[in-house]
């Protein structure tokens, strides 16, 4: 593709060379430069691509796009105001503007983005619309999962993923639009068909993230100047803030009488292997649904998903079935087992997330709430004390084990966790090997128990002594069941 075509939607200045040059690829990592590519200089917290411009040319780059004056010879040099924005628009052109073919859905908010994305995908796929996802869990296309480093990947990866989705028959893409992804123009280069706002609370302040809450809110609000229809949680206090200078058509959801899609009569739904929330919907549509993810706060996530899926064309049956079967990998994820207790996998790996999940599960009034967890090595010790205190206070039994000990001794980490639990008087058992700890939980689960394996979530590895080895709790559980561990299940005594 000609460089001139890649730059066609940008304002730029030709410092030297010719925009008629043919380009083989768009590259922003100097380590991946290939012959004939255009190298886009990005600035990060610990690097500056402008420093590698000449090295990129020496490695074969046919052109360089820069945001400031650089010393570089032997290739075309293009000057733009913002190289991150340039990368987004150039990537969209390079991959043939895939957003023009897909129905695009962006989700922003402090919490609930991953859950809402999975709900939307579940509903749309029941409705017969194959849907890709880009977010915290990675890039999901059918049964394929491509891992990513960020919730919202770089714009090149977004455009590449959308092109792959089209090639594999997807009609829609749902994307988590993080505040940093919006701030750093990763979602530029196209206009979302729908933008969703879930909620807003304190997070991502300081360091290389956001200077303060005002900037954090402003970055999230950028989505509603980059979408055609904004679907908003009208109950959230930040609702009006999100709409400052918006350019989109607005729809609302919530419990408020002012919401266009309203929820009421919400209740917890519980049975062995299934924890969820049920509620009635009125306004744009009248129906009753149950979402297979625990916690009344998930009513809001479900409402957001329902609102956008109705607009896209999903019928009531698809909404009911999609929400009833939705699963979010590593987020209060139920593991189907032939037992009369409930087994869950969750990513909770710090005190706040543990308190949130355990408080939510307490609402379901289990016979016992059993929490298996560890703590990461080479991290502040206070986190371990806090996690121990939370589990000791909210769990009927804590099973303390390993979790990415890195370069620390597992038993040292466990001793710190015990210090926290001992402050509460909570009951616990120590089983350093995580597989043995899971075996213990399966063998000793009782009718009506909720057992949550906390910390790993969607991760599929253990990090010990600087080596990452494959470790997927779902596979571990399946292996233990194949060994007959559930047949050994007894009413074991608490420790």
């Amino acid at each position: 593709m000609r460089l001139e075509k890649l730059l066609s939607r940008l304002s730029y200045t030709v410092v030297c060379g010719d925009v008629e040059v043919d380009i083989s690829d768009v590259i922003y990592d100097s380590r991946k430069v290939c012959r004939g590519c255009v190298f886009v200089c990005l600035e990060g917290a610990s690097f500056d691509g402008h420093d590698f411009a000449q090295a990129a040319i020496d490695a074969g780059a046919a052109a360089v796009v820069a945001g400031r004056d650089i010393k570089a010879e032997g290739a075309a040099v293009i000057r733009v105001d913002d190289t991150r924005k340039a990368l987004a628009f150039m990537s969209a052109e390079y991959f043939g503007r895939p957003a023009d073919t897909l129905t695009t859905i962006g989700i922003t908010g402090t919490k609930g983005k991953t859950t809402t994305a999975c709900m939307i995908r579940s509903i749309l796929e029941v409705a017969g619309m194959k849907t890709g996802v880009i977010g915290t869990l990675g890039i999901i296309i059918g049964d394929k999962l491509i891992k990513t480093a960020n919730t919202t990947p770089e714009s090149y990866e977004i455009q590449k993923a959308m092109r792959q989705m089209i090639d594999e028959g997807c009609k829609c893409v749902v994307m988590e639009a993080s505040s940093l992804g919006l701030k750093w123009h990763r979602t530029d280069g196209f206009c979302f068909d729908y933008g969703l706002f879930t909620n807003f609370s304190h997070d991502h302040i300081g360091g290389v993230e956001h200077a303060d809450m005002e900037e954090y809110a402003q970055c999230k609000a950028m989505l509603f100047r980059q979408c055609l229809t904004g679907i908003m949680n009208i109950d959230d206090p930040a609702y009006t803030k999100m709409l400052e200078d918006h350019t989109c058509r607005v729809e609302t959801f919530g419990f408020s009488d002012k919401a266009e899609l309203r929820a009421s009569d919400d209740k917890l739904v519980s049975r062995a292997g299934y924890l969820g929330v049920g509620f009635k919907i009125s306004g744009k549509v009248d129906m009753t649904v149950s979402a297979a993810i625990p916690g009344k706060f998930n009513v809001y996530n479900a409402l957001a998903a329902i609102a956008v899926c109705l607009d896209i064309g999903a019928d009531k049956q698809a909404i009911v079935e999609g929400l009833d079967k939705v699963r979010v990998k590593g987020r209060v994820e139920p593991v189907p087992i032939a037992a009369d207790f409930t087994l869950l996998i969750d990513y909770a790996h710090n005190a706040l997330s543990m308190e949130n999940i355990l408080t939510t599960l307490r609402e379901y009034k289990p016979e016992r709430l059993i929490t298996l967890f560890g703590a990461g090595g080479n991290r502040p010790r206070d986190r371990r004390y806090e996690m121990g205190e939370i589990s000791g206070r909210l769990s009927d039994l804590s099973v303390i084990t390993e979790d990415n000990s890195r370069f620390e001794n597992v038993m040292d980490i466990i001793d710190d966790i015990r210090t926290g639990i001992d402050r509460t008087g909570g009951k616990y058992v120590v089983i350093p090997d995580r597989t043995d700890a899971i075996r213990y939980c399966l063998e000793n689960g009782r009718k009506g128990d909720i057992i949550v394996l906390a910390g790993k979530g969607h991760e599929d590895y253990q990090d010990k002594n600087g080596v990452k080895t494959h470790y997927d709790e779902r596979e571990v559980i399946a292996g233990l069941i194949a060994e007959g561990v559930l047949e050994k299940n007894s009413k074991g005594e608490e420790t």
Side-chain angles (χ1 to χ4, degrees), residues 80-376:
V80 296
D81 290 334
D82 189 312
T83 55
R84 287 189 177 276
K85 180 174 287 189
L87 176 65
F89 279 88
M90 293 170 70
S91 298
E93 292 297 329
Y94 182 74
F95 288 105
R97 298 197 197 182
D100 292 350
T101 301
L102 293 164
T103 296
T104 52
I105 306 156
I107 307 171
T108 199
T110 303
K111 300 175 183 176
K113 295 187 294 295
T114 301
T115 298
T116 303
C118 291
M119 287 177 169
I120 292 169
R121 180 179 188 242
S122 185
I123 293 169
L124 292 180
E125 296 219 326
V126 170
M129 290 175 268
K130 187 174 181 180
T131 300
V133 176
I134 301 174
T136 303
L137 301 179
I139 296 168
I140 303 171
I141 309 173
D143 295 328
K144 184 189 305 180
L145 173 63
I146 304 167
K147 294 181 180 180
T148 55
N150 301 299
T151 292
T152 308
E154 254 332 325
S155 54
Y156 180 91
E157 273 66 46
I158 288 174
Q159 297 294 336
K160 179 180 179 180
M162 289 196 291
R163 174 51 57 190
Q164 288 177 289
M165 290 174 187
I166 292 171
D167 293 343
E168 298 193 27
C170 289
K171 303 299 181 184
C172 308
V173 56
V174 55
M175 186 186 313
E176 296 181 48
S178 69
S179 57
L180 295 175
L182 291 160
K183 176 182 179 178
W184 292 330
H185 302 291
R186 292 173 181 167
T187 60
D188 282 19
F190 67 100
C191 184
F192 286 97
D193 293 299
Y194 300 94
L196 274 61
F197 167 62
T198 59
N199 53 65
F200 183 76
S201 60
H202 191 279
D203 204 357
H204 301 295
I205 306 301
V208 298
E209 296 188 300
H210 299 292
D212 50 36
M213 290 291 284
E214 179 65 21
E215 184 198 302
Y216 181 36
Q218 289 174 352
C219 288
K220 288 200 171 296
M222 291 171 66
L223 178 60
F224 305 103
R225 298 189 293 275
Q226 195 184 328
C227 69
L228 299 178
T229 298
I231 299 178
M232 319 290 293
N233 177 0
I234 197 173
D235 295 344
D236 192 278
Y239 161 68
T240 53
K241 184 69 176 177
M242 291 298 113
L243 290 178
E244 288 183 1
D245 301 319
H246 77 279
T247 58
C248 59
R249 184 176 69 87
V250 176
E251 297 179 10
T252 59
F253 64 86
F255 284 85
S256 169
D257 290 340
K258 297 178 181 179
E260 294 169 74
L261 187 69
R262 297 184 295 279
S264 61
D265 299 337
D266 53 314
K267 61 182 181 180
L268 301 176
V269 180
S270 176
R271 57 182 181 269
Y274 186 103
L275 298 178
V277 60
F279 56 99
K280 292 182 180 178
I281 304 170
S282 59
K284 290 178 64 176
V285 67
D286 295 318
M287 58 191 299
T288 299
V289 299
S290 292
I293 302 177
K296 287 191 175 183
F297 55 86
N298 275 307
V299 173
Y300 281 108
N301 297 329
L303 281 174
I306 293 166
V308 71
C309 290
L310 283 171
D311 279 10
I312 293 173
D315 61 21
K316 288 184 178 181
Q317 189 61 32
I319 290 169
V320 169
E321 290 185 23
L323 288 177
D324 191 55
K325 66 188 288 187
V326 65
R327 297 290 184 272
V328 184
K329 188 173 184 180
R331 301 300 194 276
V332 206
E333 176 189 352
V335 181
I337 56 174
D340 50 10
F341 56 84
T342 299
L343 181 64
L344 305 169
I345 293 175
D346 192 79
Y347 187 50
H349 60 288
N350 57 40
L352 179 60
S353 57
M354 280 190 67
E355 185 167 26
N356 287 339
I357 181 61
L358 297 182
T359 301
T360 296
L361 296 177
R362 270 281 167 217
E363 295 177 351
Y364 287 82
K365 303 188 184 324
E367 286 297 317
R368 295 184 304 169
L369 178 56
I370 299 173
T371 307
L372 178 151
F373 72 104

Side-chain angles (χ1 to χ4, degrees), residues 28 39-44 47-50 65 83-84 87 154:
Y28 62 91
F39 176 66
V40 183
C41 303
L42 301 186
E43 293 186 47
F47 70 90
D48 186 345
H50 294 84
V65 175
T83 55
R84 287 189 177 276
L87 176 65
E154 254 332 325

